[in-house]
Amino acid sequence: MNRLGYIILYLCLGAVAVFQILPIVWLFLFSLKSNQQIFAGAPFALPKEWEWENYLKVWEGGIGTYFFNSVWITAVAIIFTALFASMATYAITRMQWKLNKLVLGLFMVGLMIPIHSAIIPLFSMFLNVNLIDNPWSIVITYTGYNLPITMMILLGFYYTLPREIEEAAIIDGCSIHRMFFRIILPMTTPVLSTIVIINMIYNWNEFVFVNTFISSDKYKTLTVGIQNFIGQYMTDWGAIGATLIISLLPILIAFIFFSNKVVEGISSSAVKG
């Protein structure tokens, strides 16, 4: 490709990047305006009065609790998903047993089930075991639904890990559990980084399960807690914008710092698969 071709390519990529960033810029300006400025001014106009108190208002209004709930529920669900998916994938790809292909097929069937099609059965099940209005119902649901896609990402990497490493560990007297946790799991770090980001994006932004299973404010996450600023007669749009910016920051920060790991993990899975 000649120099002119590279210039055109970079101009196109720059234009795409601008269009991607514009909604975030608009949302940030939106969060610093009052209702009057939002509806009276142009969408990208700078605020006449910078309403920084919108952020203080939403934090004092309970967003801090919702933010903490989102953090720990997302983190625990990611840990469980990564651990269980890694263990299941290791058992299916590295161990020889009769039903490993059938079990793998059953896990992959989960990819074809619409995410929210099981809300009623899940609600009934959690009601029977007293997990309605309990954050652990959300953790269990996120873990179960994310297992198939997580295992699919791991499969290509696990299938081509050199068996000589395991054979050497067995000769040295290493048990199967120690081999997995001390040797195999650390080797999958690039793929685990990809898994963490993908699961984080889904868990952090999920709305329907939390809205269905959780009713107490002390257990709600950010995506559901934002409804507190929507009233019957008046809606505080600036506060909603501030809440959305707060909820957006962790995803942006994680992706900025781990984007290279995500690309590396996807590439390694694709090449090795």
Side-chain angles (χ1 to χ4, degrees):
M1 186 181 293
N2 56 28
R3 186 174 181 180
L4 178 61
Y6 278 113
I7 292 175
I8 295 174
L9 175 62
Y10 287 132
L11 286 175
C12 292
L13 292 176
V16 172
V18 169
F19 279 112
Q20 293 287 334
I21 294 173
L22 276 179
I24 300 176
V25 174
W26 171 83
L27 182 61
F28 177 69
L29 296 175
F30 183 93
S31 70
L32 295 173
K33 297 178 182 179
S34 62
N35 283 0
Q36 182 180 1
Q37 292 185 72
I38 289 171
F39 292 107
F44 286 95
L46 294 175
K48 296 179 180 178
E49 295 182 8
W50 297 76
E51 303 282 342
W52 293 102
E53 59 268 22
N54 284 340
Y55 288 88
L56 181 61
K57 183 193 306 180
V58 299
W59 196 261
E60 293 177 346
I63 289 300
T65 300
Y66 305 146
F67 185 87
F68 174 75
N69 290 337
S70 291
V71 168
W72 84 259
I73 288 174
T74 298
V76 172
I78 288 173
I79 292 171
F80 284 168
T81 303
L83 179 60
F84 294 154
S86 297
M87 294 170 68
T89 306
Y90 179 75
I92 290 171
T93 58
R94 313 301 292 181
M95 298 180 183
Q96 299 298 325
W97 44 292
K98 292 182 179 180
L99 300 178
N100 61 343
K101 298 298 183 183
L102 175 62
V103 172
L104 175 59
L106 291 175
F107 274 110
M108 292 301 103
V109 167
L111 293 171
M112 297 183 286
I113 300 176
I115 293 177
H116 298 120
S117 63
I119 286 182
I120 295 176
L122 282 173
F123 187 91
S124 178
M125 181 184 72
F126 290 141
L127 186 63
N128 290 333
V129 295
N130 295 320
L131 282 180
I132 291 298
D133 199 24
N134 188 317
W136 286 104
S137 62
I138 305 301
V139 172
I140 293 170
T141 303
Y142 289 173
T143 302
Y145 267 102
N146 288 332
L147 276 177
I149 184 64
T150 303
M151 289 179 64
M152 188 178 69
I153 295 172
L154 289 170
L155 280 172
F157 196 91
Y158 270 81
Y159 269 127
T160 54
L161 287 176
R163 292 194 176 274
E164 290 78 9
I165 296 176
E166 296 166 279
E167 293 170 356
I170 292 172
I171 292 173
D172 290 337
C174 185
S175 67
I176 190 70
H177 301 92
R178 187 176 182 184
M179 184 192 308
F180 173 74
F181 286 106
R182 299 292 297 272
I183 300 174
I184 301 299
L185 197 58
M187 292 175 63
T188 62
T189 301
V191 185
L192 290 177
S193 301
T194 305
I195 288 169
V196 167
I197 294 297
I198 292 175
N199 280 268
M200 180 182 177
I201 292 172
Y202 170 77
N203 295 348
W204 189 268
N205 295 322
E206 203 282 324
F207 172 83
V208 176
F209 287 130
V210 179
N211 193 50
T212 303
F213 300 149
I214 302 297
S215 57
S216 299
D217 280 344
K218 61 181 180 180
Y219 296 136
K220 288 181 179 178
T221 60
L222 273 172
T223 52
V224 177
I226 194 174
Q227 295 180 100
N228 290 353
F229 298 98
I230 301 176
Q232 182 178 1
Y233 302 104
M234 181 178 178
T235 298
D236 192 340
W237 293 105
I240 291 176
T243 305
L244 291 174
I245 287 292
I246 292 173
S247 66
L248 186 65
L249 283 177
I251 299 294
L252 284 178
I253 293 172
F255 197 81
I256 288 171
F257 282 100
F258 296 105
S259 58
N260 290 337
K261 289 289 185 181
V262 172
V263 174
E264 182 183 347
I266 294 175
S267 301
S268 62
S269 295
V271 172
K272 293 192 176 188

